[in-house]
Amino acid sequence: MSHVLVLGGGFGGVAAARTLREQLPDDHKITLIDKRDYYMIGFRKTWGLLGEAPLAQGQRKLADLQKFGIDVLHGTIEHIDPAERSVVVDGQLLQGDAMIVALGAELAVDDVPGFEECALNAYDPAQVEKHAQVIEKFIGGRIVVGVFGLPYKCPPAPYELAILLEEKLHKRGIPVEITVFTPMPNALPILDGEDCATLDGFMLMRGIRFLPGLSAEKVEPGRVLFSNGSTLDYDLLLGIPGHRAPKVVRDSGLTGSVPWIPVNGQTLETAFQNVYAIGDVTAVKMGNGQPLPKAGVFAEGEGLTVADRLAAILTGRPPTAVYEGHGGCFLEVGDGKAVMVEGHFLAPDGPLVRLTPASEAYMDDKWAFETSRLSGWFD
């Protein structure tokens, strides 16, 4: 009998745990560990911020996985020893025959002075309901949606947030001037110039000003200061902080001398035997040398690949599954429509990615994407 430790109950962790349970005999033990007691798809945060749908509607208890034969431990991972494939959770030592690290990314809210004090953190689920009340009471003025560091997960999300926020406030007759800034040279560098122009056009049609190439250095009440000496005034600031690997991961030696866990892009193997890493905590290089974007769909695909490989190894079969990097992210553009940023992200010669035309069908697909995961994994 083997014991597989799955660290993290997000997209990748849950996908891996469920697939392992389906493929391994019952006498193999699977333990999933997470400090949160629920699973939620990240894009629901935007719906919650705008009052479109409550967070709880898209959450499921991780403990529900126990009915499928997965042990679930709710607690804080205090230490990881990848060489021993062991973890300490709230003082309890657990050791496995294999380990999957799927702990996601930590929000680096302290990287830019003043961010925590002045900005509404658009990526913190714990603050969504409080921030939604602030947005609901907003009576008009200058709104800034800012990307305060790189990388960050779900790259289209800031632009979607700005578009939907303008639509919401416009319908209520509230006068606003919305500006979006990012340190990137354009909205989504993974797209070609024509598709980037299309995305810019969705914002332009709603009177949203887009400022690429701006790196925030400091936030003061009512003003963002940038590294080039310019400033941007605001009455309401929604910020997306940069991300980093969780401290417990950095302290474990898994990242080595780089910011994220280096892995084999096809197998998700780390430098440690029978230790895999998936999702936002990893550094997977695309064919152009740039990092694979951090998004749930990639964590899910990597989790499925690792589970398939581990199930083969633990039952004495040669592993054959490889991760190919196909996928996409939804981006709502208002009027009940959405587009997708989709393609083959790990194509050998570089990513082959496009922006689809906007349609109501993609909006339906976005709702179905969440529903299928919640029902398929937890019900």
Side-chain angles (χ1 to χ4, degrees):
M1 181 185 80
S2 66
H3 185 192
V4 181
L5 298 176
V6 181
L7 314 187
F11 254 106
V14 173
R18 280 301 314 268
T19 304
L20 277 169
R21 187 69 287 162
E22 292 169 1
Q23 295 192 19
L24 286 175
D26 292 343
D27 60 349
H28 292 255
K29 184 177 181 180
I30 302 164
T31 301
L32 184 143
I33 308 162
D34 200 296
K35 64 181 179 181
R36 296 196 308 189
D37 64 355
Y38 67 90
Y39 167 85
M40 183 183 75
I41 290 180
F43 59 61
R44 182 162 282 271
K45 295 192 299 293
T46 297
W47 294 342
L49 279 171
L50 300 177
E52 299 296 326
L55 294 189
Q57 189 179 74
Q59 295 176 354
R60 294 292 185 272
K61 292 290 185 182
L62 288 172
D64 289 347
L65 296 173
Q66 293 177 150
K67 64 189 175 187
F68 300 107
I70 298 167
D71 292 340
V72 176
L73 181 58
H74 175 217
T76 300
I77 298 173
E78 299 168 338
H79 179 71
I80 302 172
D81 186 338
E84 296 294 326
R85 295 182 294 279
S86 67
V87 294
V88 176
V89 183
D90 293 334
Q92 177 185 358
L93 176 66
L94 290 86
Q95 188 159 14
D97 300 286
M99 178 187 292
I100 303 173
V101 183
L103 288 171
E106 177 181 285
L107 302 181
V109 295
D110 54 349
D111 274 1
V112 178
F115 179 92
E116 285 190 272
E117 295 80 8
C118 300
L120 304 186
N121 186 342
Y123 269 37
D124 185 354
Q127 300 187 56
V128 164
E129 292 183 357
K130 179 179 70 173
H131 293 343
Q133 293 176 10
V134 174
I135 293 171
E136 191 65 28
K137 294 176 182 177
F138 188 66
I139 59 174
R142 298 160 299 184
I143 297 177
V144 171
V145 178
V147 176
F148 281 82
L150 301 174
Y152 66 95
K153 54 191 172 186
C154 196
Y159 314 114
E160 177 183 83
L161 175 59
I163 290 169
L164 297 182
L165 185 58
E166 192 283 332
E167 182 179 53
K168 172 186 175 71
L169 296 177
H170 179 80
K171 287 180 179 178
R172 293 172 55 192
I174 296 175
V176 294
E177 296 177 1
I178 299 180
T179 300
V180 181
F181 75 81
T182 178
M184 295 189 292
N186 50 49
L188 294 175
I190 201 166
L191 296 175
D192 64 22
E194 183 176 346
D195 281 344
C196 273
T198 300
L199 176 53
D200 293 350
F202 288 125
M203 292 188 278
L204 183 63
M205 284 189 296
R206 295 189 173 274
I208 297 170
R209 183 170 58 149
F210 176 51
L211 301 176
L214 286 180
S215 297
E217 279 198 342
K218 184 180 180 181
V219 186
E220 297 176 348
R223 186 172 69 157
V224 182
L225 290 74
F226 299 101
S227 59
N228 65 359
S230 65
T231 62
L232 185 60
D233 295 336
Y234 67 85
D235 298 300
L236 181 65
L237 174 63
L238 290 90
I240 293 85
H243 294 18
R244 61 191 172 214
K247 185 177 186 301
V248 70
V249 171
R250 288 180 273 132
D251 291 346
S252 71
L254 277 163
T255 59
S257 60
V258 296
W260 306 92
I261 302 176
V263 294
N264 179 310
Q266 291 188 314
T267 66
L268 291 308
E269 295 167 298
T270 71
F272 298 87
Q273 186 176 8
N274 284 344
V275 177
Y276 299 78
I278 58 177
D280 295 343
V281 77
T282 66
V284 174
K285 294 294 185 182
M286 297 186 293
N288 60 0
Q290 296 300 307
L292 180 70
K294 297 186 182 300
V297 67
F298 300 130
E300 178 184 8
E302 291 166 0
L304 297 175
T305 298
V306 168
D308 193 281
R309 292 186 66 85
L310 261 181
I313 292 169
L314 295 174
T315 55
R317 296 177 286 114
T320 58
V322 296
Y323 181 60
E324 297 183 346
H326 294 278
C329 295
F330 296 97
L331 193 167
E332 294 178 51
V333 294
D335 299 321
K337 296 180 180 180
V339 299
M340 282 199 76
V341 182
E342 66 172 9
H344 187 188
F345 287 76
L346 293 183
D349 295 329
L352 301 174
V353 182
R354 68 173 187 132
L355 187 73
T356 70
S359 73
E360 294 177 355
Y362 282 122
M363 191 65 231
D364 292 339
D365 289 345
K366 184 174 183 177
W367 284 100
F369 180 87
E370 180 191 59
T371 301
S372 66
R373 270 66 180 178
L374 295 179
S375 61
W377 288 340
F378 294 95
D379 296 341

